[in-house]
Amino acid sequence: MIIVLKSADHPFSKGTIFVTRFAAALKGTLLGIGLMAAFGASEAIAAETVNIYSARHYDSDELLYDGFEKATGIQVNVIEAGGPELLARMRAEGRNSPADIYLTVDAGNLSIAEKQNVFQPVASKILDARIPAPLKSPKNLWFGFSTRARIIVVNAKKVDPKLAVSYEALTDPKLKGQLCMRSSTASYNLSLLGGMVARLGAAKAEGWVKGVVANFARQPQGADTSLLLDVAAGACGATIANHYYYVRLQNSKIASERAAAKALTVIFPDHNSVGTHVNISGAGLVATAPHKTAGIKFLEYLASDEAQHIFGNANYEFPAVASVPRSKELAALGKFKTDPTNVSLYGQNQATAQMIFDRAGWR
Ligand SMILES: [Fe+2]
């Protein structure tokens, strides 16, 4: 039923992965014909189709596509690649793009697409009712379907967790030489700072960055998971990471990763004040979508109870729809307050955030 074409290895942001889904009848006949042709051919045998360009690379997304096909009878075709590559593809395809839906992680990435006029607004009572206002574009150009909290994680043998209860606390000189951080070019950090710029203003946000840089144990390096492992191993005392990377370690099949999670203390920053910074995975309807009705149905499906269980819980992200229960792994993290800043502001402040990082020497 599904043919997977992989043109590269499986990095999250580089290289290309094409996942194309066809009916079994076409299996073997379409390889090498090209994706436009593949989409066209698949339409010939399905009453309705929806074409998705996805910069998310999670195996669990297959469950979403299967669930949507079962619920609606609409066939799903998917191209997976890095975000910038998909945006370039849509630009090159112009009005003839087969893309109906652009799906990606990080509100900053959705804003980048918005600035390139990728989306059209969607009027949907279902989406209005189910997706909280802070998790979507105020113009209904894109919608968040799951959330990820940017948590502080400490090694309690090196850093007293009480010293790291908020993002601001990380600037305390008592933490000198303790912080290992990811690069400032990582979209998650740009969004974190973009949110601070929105909430505190650029000057205070810059003060925060300078304070954190002053406490660096080393120059920024690595991604969230490797930073968590470094903190667990005692190479540094604290880092910032998305919560699901920690939950993955907790539930890993590899004993050493489970042991690493045990060595870590998780803090939901600013729980007692403004709340923890959250980001989203989200999607929108492409401006030139050839299958507009099917595209809207797909977005509405992502907000359904069934899809929310998959979209959120399968990758240890939080469901965006408040009434959908959290998986047991997520419930184990406990309740926390979330920063109500609208996630669209992260993208709006992205250039300012990068400038602040650069000026303060957070590479
Ligand atoms: Fe991630």
Side-chain angles (χ1 to χ4, degrees), residues 12 58 105 148 182 188 224 242 244-245 248 315:
F12 273 35
Y58 304 122
V105 299
R148 46 265 302 280
R182 189 169 180 164
Y188 302 152
D224 289 20
N242 285 356
Y244 54 89
Y245 293 108
R248 276 187 206 163
N315 185 42

Side-chain angles (χ1 to χ4, degrees), residues 56 104-108 110 134-137 142-148 188 278-283 311 317 320 343-344 346:
R56 269 171 63 98
T104 188
V105 299
D106 192 282
L110 287 158
L135 303 182
K136 61 178 187 171
S137 136
W142 45 262
F143 302 84
F145 294 103
S146 65
T147 66
R148 46 265 302 280
Y188 302 152
V278 293
N279 207 322
I280 57 166
S281 270
F311 204 94
E317 292 175 75
V343 298
S344 70
Y346 306 166

Side-chain angles (χ1 to χ4, degrees), residues 23-187:
L26 292 174
K27 190 175 177 182
T29 63
L30 288 172
L31 290 171
I33 294 177
L35 289 157
M36 288 274 290
F39 280 171
S42 63
E43 282 185 55
I45 55 137
E48 264 190 289
T49 61
V50 64
N51 298 331
I52 295 164
Y53 281 20
S54 174
R56 269 171 63 98
H57 311 300
Y58 304 122
D59 291 344
S60 54
D61 287 358
E62 282 297 316
L63 300 172
L64 289 174
Y65 307 141
D66 288 342
F68 179 70
E69 286 181 341
K70 271 198 200 97
T72 63
I74 298 171
Q75 184 178 318
V76 176
N77 300 311
V78 184
I79 294 178
E80 280 189 17
E85 200 174 341
L86 290 174
L87 293 176
R89 179 184 284 265
M90 282 189 273
R91 271 198 308 277
E93 290 165 343
R95 278 185 204 178
N96 298 321
S97 175
D100 296 306
I101 296 290
Y102 179 57
L103 177 65
T104 188
V105 299
D106 192 282
N109 290 331
L110 287 158
S111 289
I112 289 169
E114 178 184 336
K115 280 179 197 142
Q116 296 182 19
N117 301 315
V118 162
F119 299 119
Q120 62 176 300
V122 170
S124 158
K125 290 201 173 102
I126 292 172
L127 294 174
D128 287 350
R130 292 184 63 88
I131 304 302
L135 303 182
K136 61 178 187 171
S137 136
K139 297 176 201 155
N140 287 332
L141 290 167
W142 45 262
F143 302 84
F145 294 103
S146 65
T147 66
R148 46 265 302 280
R150 200 123 180 90
I151 55 175
I152 294 173
V153 183
V154 305
N155 182 327
K157 285 190 182 141
K158 298 202 71 180
V159 165
D160 180 353
K162 288 198 195 78
L163 288 176
V165 295
S166 65
Y167 300 109
E168 205 194 333
L170 297 180
T171 63
D172 189 325
K174 284 184 193 138
L175 296 180
K176 196 159 186 62
Q178 295 285 7
L179 306 183
C180 285
M181 291 292 173
R182 189 169 180 164
S183 162
S184 67
T185 57
S187 59

